[in-house]
Amino acid sequence: MNYDIIIIGAGIVGCSIARELSSYNGSVVVLEKENDVSVGTTKANSGIAHAGFDAKVGTLKAKFNVLGNKMMPSLSNDLDFPFKQNGAIVLGFEEESLEILKDLLNRGIVSGVERLKIISKDEILKLEPNVNPNVKYGLLAPTSGIVSPYEMAIAYVENASSNGVRFDFNSEVIRIERDKNEYVVTTASNKTYVGKVIINCAGVYSDKIHSLASNKKSPFTVISRKGEYCLLDKMYGDMASHTLFQTPSKLGKGVLVTPTTHGNLLVGPNAQDEVDNANVDTTIEGLKEIWDKASLTMPNLPKRGVITQFAGLRSHLKESDDFIIGFDNELIGFYDVAGIESPGLTAAPAIAKHVSKEVATYLNLGINLHFNPIRKAIPQISALPNEVREKLIKENPLYGHIICRCEVVSEGEIVEAIHRVPGAKDLDGIKRRTRAGMGRCQMGFCTPKIMEILARELHEDIDEITKNGHHSYMVEKR
Amino acid sequence: MINHDLVIVGGGPAGLAAAIGAYESGIKDILIIEREEHLGGILNQCIHNGFGLHTFKEELTGPEYASRYINKVLEYKIPYKLNTTVIDLNGDKVITALNESDGLLLIQAKAIVLACGCRERPRGAINIAGSRCSGIYSAGTAQKLVNIDGLKVGKEVVILGSGDIGLIMARRMTFEGAKVKAVVELMSYSSGLNRNIVQCLNDFDIPLYFSHTVIEIKGKDRLEKVKIAKVDEHLNPILDTAFEIECDTLLLSVGLLPENELARNYDVNLSKTTNGAIVNENMMTSKEGIFECGNVLHVHDLVDYVSEESYLAGKMAAKYLNGELNLKSKVLTVNPTNGIRYTVPQLINIDDNYSPIQFKMRVSNVFKNVEIRLLVDDEVIFKKYKQIVTPGEMETLNIKEDLVKKIKQGSKIEITLFRRS
Ligand SMILES: Cc1cc2nc3c(=O)[nH]c(=O)nc-3n(C[C@H](O)[C@H](O)[C@H](O)COP(=O)(O)OP(=O)(O)OC[C@H]3O[C@@H](n4cnc5c(N)ncnc54)[C@H](O)[C@@H]3O)c2cc1C
Ligand SMILES: Cc1cc2nc3c(=O)[nH]c(=O)nc-3n(C[C@H](O)[C@H](O)[C@H](O)COP(=O)(O)OP(=O)(O)OC[C@H]3O[C@@H](n4cnc5c(N)ncnc54)[C@H](O)[C@@H]3O)c2cc1C
């Protein structure tokens, strides 16, 4: 198949670029090696829409972070994904912290972050009564927010798809060849795609993709750096209302404690260099480390409140501390979006605008007059007023059948998640789209029912249902 | 809005017995709400026998036991709604429920019995590091897949937790042709019934590792192996004792969580120890007219006790509806001390109608040669000798009316373990 643009990787970067490109006239395909969107780094991070005071002044990180943060409110409105501007506080526990906080404040001001302010211990404890009373100073950043990263990516993808972008899953790119003025991309299942431009959004694999195309060592090397988290029950979600960072010190960057958009409490991450790009296992030492560090922020964190742990990989570049965004100097029509570590999630909307404009100009693409920027989320029975619930169930009785007890998710929501394009194909896909299985019992109760619904709606046998694609089967072959 | 005198949330053994208790005490306007397709609760997936020894003096399977109560409910023509989930409780006992045929149901109740049962604790709650591959199930989920859906969950199995559900699943998986390679237990004792250890593990030569735990999970797509280590006296893993077992399935039987969302949102006072409501001897919670019983109140090991407790809750709800409960009496707290972890009820009312009280309780550790004592104002008014008590087996004290009379306004009540040397 021939396309104007082939995007490799369906993380937040690939998904947001795909959607922005769909506002131009051009054919776009996204190739993703996994069974779903947002299963790489984009599903496992802090989910903070950073204000932008952290990145060094003048870097791409700072520029796109601040721009992306400003886009978040209206974008979350258009695409209907969970976002809340809850503000952040960087907590200082030492006298020396004040100087560092002032530095951050100044950096932020120069980069264009608004309303930053140093606050006192009393002000902090008034805003956040559960914070360690030994806190001395804080930097308040009211423009910081929280976002559900995988729902943001899914929203982007559904919108891109309705505007004509094609998504192919289980399509690992293993070969990239140059044929005349085009690239021929081959996947592990031996399908080929021909495109004029390749956009490399492969996250921790972006150096590998680059060298597939260039046939030599990539000019940049990704060091994947693992970050681990603990997620707490919603019962404890209100222990913090702001995102609480620790002041960076000799001991490192510290960990954060933050509420999530769904009202849980999230604690983490640490930072461990990891050689294996596919290894997102949590570790005994790592989980202990984040817990110990988080206890500095909040001494009363309830360990029994933890419902799950996870880890994600930062794609840190060996050669540079900044994002790499742009056409390669040697490879014609090959565009890298690499080294997109934090604040990559926040920056993605702004990066996508920038990249799509550059690529559209390069290919001379016109504006897509049919582009519709609006996408609606799946209705959530748990969050709706009674009148709307009644109407919805009347139209589709499946909305009256509750499947997930912890998060109160109905069969209607699950069926819709399966039939959206691109839809959920496995248990984790249902989870990210509907929250069924994300609560207190972590799918203990609803697993059998969701397996049944998936099999029925996808016309598959129940023994073909997986947790997250590949060979992650749930039950034995019959 | 529809009206009912008594609404029972949950149609498991607790809800069924509560309905029968209320009916036999004269309440006819009852509605049972159950979210599954059948009445019977968790018993429907417990196809092994061993139920009802206490009540019926015979060994029934879970579904057989449940059907005795379901038949009574049918005989009494007590109305129930299936496939209906209660999602909220608010206002003055207004229930919000959903199902496919009625859509949204708003029900004004005069009294409510919460009999919602419990859920299993997930892997995350016990902080096991490693991969998040498939093949890790809570034991009850696996039980449902195997017993109800007729599926095979795996070939080589490790089970974490030697509670009854874990033990029963060890045998069940063996019957299904799987190899159960180990049952691993954090504590130095099992919280399951002794008969289950014998019948489910020993009879099949399944090794049981006490004072061990699973510390890491490995596997790319599906589980490949688990790492197990011995724990020290503080239950912390001793890393250099670690060894690996290859398996494709890990079943977790690591505790149950009473399902108290409705109660919590309704500001019912909950106990940090049981995670259930704090109730008085009438099974009434801190909210007038809201009763709780069964596994949502505290985790029981025998369903017979669930039925007994819930029958009482139904009866008391009826008394409440008939205006026969004294709501103004003085409330006393029962203090569990010295090895008693909790008691149910946690509170008792003192009025002039003395009736017998049954205290249920769990101990915090294994103790031998002990007396469970009830003290009123530091005087032992009742004691029961036990050769051994374990956290896995619920203990009861039945206090007769004449002894209950010794409890006066302002009395100090204590239930304690006394060690005979
Ligand atoms: C611990 C941690 C915390 C973070 N916290 C924040 C935060 O709070 N705020 C913030 O703004 N940012 C944060 N980030 C950064 C943010 O998560 C990332 O910048 C962002 O998710 C990167 O998205 P991506 O699309 O580049 O990568 P990914 O989501 O990893 O997407 C890359 C995709 O490419 C696919 N792929 C790879 N190779 C191939 C191939 N050969 N063929 C086909 N497909 C392929 C992968 O399967 C994957 O789906 C954090 C990151 C980490 C690790
Ligand atoms: C594997 C296993 C083995 C066991 N073995 C034995 C044994 O050998 N002998 C023995 O005596 N006991 C045994 N038991 C214990 C016994 O089954 C339980 O004690 C008993 O089922 C608890 O009854 P319950 O009614 O409190 O809870 P459940 O049986 O869990 O019933 C609660 C019901 O409430 C419904 N519900 C909850 N919330 C709502 C809502 N919001 N709206 C509508 N409906 C709702 C649920 O769907 C459920 O049907 C075993 C249990 C298990 C899991």
Side-chain angles (χ1 to χ4, degrees):
Chain A
M1 279 291 281
N2 285 275
Y3 294 90
D4 291 316
I5 301 145
I6 298 174
I7 296 176
I8 303 174
I12 192 66
V13 173
C15 296
S16 56
I17 292 174
R19 187 263 191 168
E20 296 309 334
L21 276 173
S22 70
S23 69
Y24 296 94
N25 278 327
S27 53
V28 183
V29 66
V30 180
L31 302 180
E32 168 57 53
K33 70 180 167 71
E34 301 295 324
N35 201 29
D36 201 353
V37 299
S38 186
V39 295
T41 299
T42 301
K43 74 159 192 240
N45 53 64
S46 311
I48 310 301
H50 288 292
F53 53 80
D54 196 35
K56 267 203 208 100
V57 174
T59 56
L60 294 176
K61 278 187 181 169
K63 173 181 157 189
F64 287 119
N65 181 348
V66 176
L67 284 174
N69 174 282
K70 290 188 176 151
M71 289 166 72
M72 227 32 112
S74 75
L75 186 71
S76 63
N77 220 16
D78 283 355
L79 295 179
D80 204 8
F81 62 82
F83 163 75
K84 185 175 168 200
Q85 204 152 44
N86 66 325
I89 310 176
V90 188
L91 303 170
F93 294 94
E94 314 281 330
E95 239 359 278
E96 302 86 76
S97 307
L98 184 59
E99 280 313 305
I100 303 171
L101 294 178
K102 281 184 180 162
D103 275 353
L104 289 176
L105 172 90
N106 289 329
R107 247 196 235 185
I109 293 174
V110 179
S111 295
V113 183
E114 288 161 16
R115 290 155 55 210
L116 289 172
K117 187 174 140 192
I118 302 276
I119 57 176
S120 68
K121 170 186 179 142
D122 289 349
E123 288 169 290
I124 298 168
L125 293 176
K126 214 162 138 204
L127 292 171
E128 296 290 345
N130 294 311
V131 159
N132 183 347
N134 294 332
V135 68
K136 293 206 160 61
Y137 307 99
L139 173 65
L140 177 69
T143 57
S144 179
I146 45 182
V147 47
S148 166
Y150 39 87
E151 284 169 275
M152 177 174 165
I154 288 163
Y156 260 130
V157 163
E158 289 181 7
N159 187 241
S161 170
S162 70
N163 285 306
V165 175
R166 183 186 164 96
F167 287 83
D168 280 2
F169 297 99
N170 298 307
S171 302
E172 180 179 6
V173 172
I174 54 162
R175 207 160 51 235
I176 303 176
E177 286 148 330
R178 188 83 184 151
D179 181 33
K180 295 188 205 102
N181 292 326
E182 293 177 322
Y183 285 102
V184 180
V185 171
T186 310
T187 65
S189 49
N190 232 341
K191 273 179 81 175
T192 56
Y193 298 80
V194 179
K196 296 184 187 120
V197 166
I198 288 183
I199 309 181
N200 173 11
C201 307
V204 290
Y205 295 94
S206 49
D207 50 353
K208 305 224 163 42
I209 294 293
H210 191 103
S211 51
L212 280 185
S214 66
N215 263 322
K216 56 184 185 202
K217 200 173 164 296
S218 162
F220 54 87
T221 321
V222 177
I223 307 169
S224 48
R225 197 167 271 178
K226 192 189 276 184
E228 297 169 76
Y229 294 92
C230 288
L231 186 84
L232 280 79
D233 194 293
K234 281 183 172 171
M235 233 188 295
Y236 307 102
D238 57 7
M239 286 188 74
S241 71
H242 293 73
T243 298
L244 303 171
F245 298 103
Q246 298 173 343
T247 305
S249 72
K250 311 179 270 306
L251 297 171
K253 236 181 139 182
V255 299
L256 60 78
V257 174
T258 184
T260 68
T261 50
H262 294 287
N264 297 80
L265 199 68
L266 182 66
V267 173
N270 58 346
Q272 288 285 346
D273 283 350
E274 179 66 55
V275 275
D276 179 357
N277 276 338
N279 185 339
V280 286
D281 290 4
T282 54
T283 63
I284 300 167
E285 309 77 41
L287 294 175
K288 180 166 178 338
E289 179 189 350
I290 55 171
W291 197 262
D292 290 349
K293 286 188 173 165
S295 304
L296 173 65
T297 295
M298 230 176 240
N300 298 327
L301 277 177
K303 198 149 206 172
R304 278 190 73 87
V306 175
I307 58 173
T308 187
Q309 303 84 5
F310 59 86
L313 297 173
R314 305 170 178 89
S315 49
H316 183 68
L317 296 181
K318 194 168 145 197
E319 295 80 6
S320 130
D321 227 358
D322 205 0
F323 299 155
I324 293 179
I325 299 172
F327 280 109
D328 186 67
N329 292 333
E330 294 174 11
L331 297 167
I332 300 160
F334 190 91
Y335 200 107
D336 283 310
V337 191
I340 311 298
E341 57 182 336
S342 191
L345 180 70
T346 320
I351 295 176
K353 285 265 185 230
H354 171 85
V355 173
S356 59
K357 207 163 156 193
E358 287 208 335
V359 170
T361 310
Y362 174 85
L363 287 172
N364 221 344
L365 302 176
I367 299 292
N368 173 3
L369 296 174
H370 304 291
F371 175 70
N372 175 4
I374 305 298
R375 170 263 182 188
K376 280 271 146 246
I378 300 171
Q380 272 179 291
I381 203 84
S382 65
L384 295 171
N386 279 344
E387 312 79 70
V388 188
R389 283 174 174 159
E390 236 174 335
K391 192 168 155 274
L392 198 60
I393 301 172
K394 215 162 257 153
E395 287 164 11
N396 180 356
L398 292 183
Y399 280 94
H401 185 206
I402 301 301
I403 300 293
C404 165
R405 358 165 142 175
C406 302
E407 298 286 315
V408 191
V409 182
S410 67
E411 184 167 358
E413 290 156 69
I414 293 170
V415 170
E416 169 133 13
I418 298 170
H419 294 302
R420 288 256 166 141
V421 186
K425 295 184 287 287
D426 50 38
L427 290 166
D428 282 357
I430 298 283
K431 215 158 140 174
R432 284 190 293 272
R433 284 171 178 81
T434 66
R435 292 193 61 72
M438 284 219 172
R440 206 155 282 159
C441 85
Q442 290 286 301
M443 224 180 228
F445 174 74
C446 58
T447 293
K449 296 184 184 183
I450 297 178
M451 286 168 62
E452 236 172 77
I453 299 172
L454 272 167
R456 182 188 75 210
E457 297 296 320
L458 296 173
H459 306 290
E460 282 181 5
D461 212 48
I462 198 147
D463 56 25
E464 290 169 282
I465 301 303
T466 62
K467 178 171 183 286
N468 50 10
H470 301 298
H471 294 282
S472 62
Y473 296 109
M474 296 299 293
V475 292
E476 297 279 296
K477 284 263 173 258
R478 287 200 269 213
Chain B
M1 184 95 77
I2 24 181
N3 293 287
H4 286 290
D5 285 349
L6 177 62
V7 176
I8 295 172
V9 185
L16 295 167
I20 295 165
Y23 186 92
E24 291 181 354
S25 303
I27 300 300
K28 301 287 133 86
D29 182 14
I30 305 175
L31 177 66
I32 305 173
I33 303 183
E34 167 56 53
R35 72 178 143 218
E36 299 294 316
E37 289 175 67
H38 304 282
L39 293 173
I42 212 74
L43 290 182
N44 289 328
Q45 67 184 60
C46 301
I47 59 171
H48 55 281
N49 60 5
F51 296 83
L53 271 171
H54 179 76
T55 314
F56 300 110
K57 310 283 176 260
E58 48 181 319
E59 283 207 45
L60 305 173
T61 64
E64 281 168 350
Y65 182 94
S67 68
R68 305 231 167 161
Y69 290 84
I70 295 172
N71 290 342
K72 263 260 145 68
V73 164
L74 295 177
E75 179 193 323
Y76 291 160
K77 300 200 167 57
I78 300 173
Y80 57 88
K81 277 187 185 294
L82 301 176
N83 297 309
T84 307
T85 306
V86 174
I87 60 169
D88 201 15
L89 184 57
N90 55 36
D92 182 16
K93 304 191 191 74
V94 177
I95 285 172
T96 311
L98 296 178
N99 69 23
E100 294 187 30
S101 49
D102 305 289
L104 181 90
L105 286 159
L106 290 176
I107 306 166
Q108 173 70 64
K110 292 197 184 116
I112 295 173
V113 176
L114 296 173
C116 309
C118 49
R119 259 167 297 197
E120 297 172 277
R121 285 175 78 203
R123 162 192 176 182
I126 48 171
N127 234 7
I128 309 178
S131 144
R132 289 168 303 289
C133 49
S134 73
I136 301 155
Y137 293 97
S138 57
T141 308
Q143 186 179 46
K144 184 157 192 219
L145 288 167
V146 173
N147 291 351
I148 307 275
D149 301 334
L151 298 167
K152 278 199 185 350
V153 298
K155 291 194 190 78
E156 301 198 305
V157 187
V158 169
I159 298 178
L160 178 58
S162 65
D164 288 313
I165 312 181
L167 297 174
I168 281 161
M169 281 311 289
R171 178 175 63 186
R172 187 77 193 107
M173 295 296 287
T174 309
F175 286 160
E176 284 294 308
K179 169 116 189 96
V180 178
K181 292 186 150 178
V183 174
V184 180
E185 170 59 57
L186 180 69
M187 308 305 282
S188 55
Y189 53 84
S190 161
S191 64
L193 300 172
N194 209 14
R195 69 162 199 242
N196 281 337
I197 297 187
V198 175
Q199 294 170 8
C200 300
L201 300 189
N202 300 358
D203 288 358
F204 301 94
D205 294 328
I206 297 170
L208 171 56
Y209 294 89
F210 283 124
S211 301
H212 278 72
T213 191
V214 171
I215 56 169
E216 213 176 327
I217 286 169
K218 297 187 176 176
K220 193 169 159 287
D221 294 333
R222 174 87 190 197
L223 181 63
E224 290 160 24
K225 50 190 163 190
V226 296
K227 203 179 208 178
I228 294 170
K230 212 174 157 68
V231 296
D232 63 19
E233 65 274 23
H234 307 294
L235 306 181
N236 292 318
I238 310 168
L239 295 183
D240 53 16
T241 63
F243 59 97
E244 291 183 339
I245 297 186
E246 283 183 18
C247 56
D248 60 9
T249 305
L250 173 67
L251 300 188
L252 301 174
S253 174
V254 292
L256 299 167
L257 297 164
E259 189 161 337
N260 265 304
E261 281 78 0
L262 295 172
R264 185 173 298 114
N265 291 342
Y266 201 62
D267 287 332
V268 168
N269 288 346
L270 300 179
S271 152
K272 286 217 164 67
T273 318
T274 59
N275 290 313
I278 294 175
V279 293
N280 62 26
E281 78 281 12
N282 304 322
M283 311 316 280
M284 189 156 99
T285 68
S286 61
K287 293 277 176 184
E288 193 186 308
I290 310 274
F291 297 77
E292 201 167 87
C293 55
N295 274 353
V296 71
L297 179 60
H298 58 136
V299 176
H300 295 65
D301 20 78
L302 285 181
V303 70
D304 308 66
Y305 295 129
V306 169
S307 304
E308 200 175 280
E309 171 182 290
S310 306
Y311 184 86
L312 176 74
K315 206 167 119 186
M316 290 302 157
K319 269 195 159 180
Y320 167 78
L321 287 166
N322 291 330
E324 291 161 19
L325 280 191
N326 182 355
L327 301 169
K328 301 220 169 55
S329 58
K330 207 67 192 150
V331 180
L332 302 176
T333 304
V334 183
N335 295 301
T337 60
N338 197 28
I340 303 288
R341 213 161 62 93
Y342 72 82
T343 68
V344 167
Q346 295 92 341
L347 302 173
I348 49 179
N349 286 310
I350 285 311
D351 56 23
D352 336 311
N353 308 322
Y354 292 104
S355 41
I357 300 181
Q358 182 181 67
F359 289 101
K360 300 192 177 70
M361 67 207 67
R362 279 186 197 271
V363 294
S364 54
N365 211 325
V366 178
F367 299 104
K368 290 188 175 148
N369 208 19
V370 289
E371 287 169 9
I372 304 173
R373 292 178 161 186
L374 170 67
L375 279 73
V376 174
D377 295 322
D378 299 321
E379 185 200 338
V380 181
I381 65 161
F382 188 81
K383 60 187 178 192
K384 180 175 178 181
Y385 173 73
K386 296 285 291 186
Q387 256 182 347
I388 183 166
V389 289
T390 70
E393 302 210 19
M394 186 154 59
E395 299 296 335
T396 53
L397 284 189
N398 288 309
I399 310 300
K400 299 227 174 65
E401 213 170 314
D402 56 320
L403 291 178
V404 174
K405 275 192 188 141
K406 296 205 169 176
I407 304 173
K408 301 269 159 15
Q409 292 224 356
S411 283
K412 194 174 115 204
I413 310 171
E414 191 175 328
I415 293 185
T416 197
L417 271 191
F418 174 80
R419 297 211 215 181
R420 287 191 188 169
S421 41

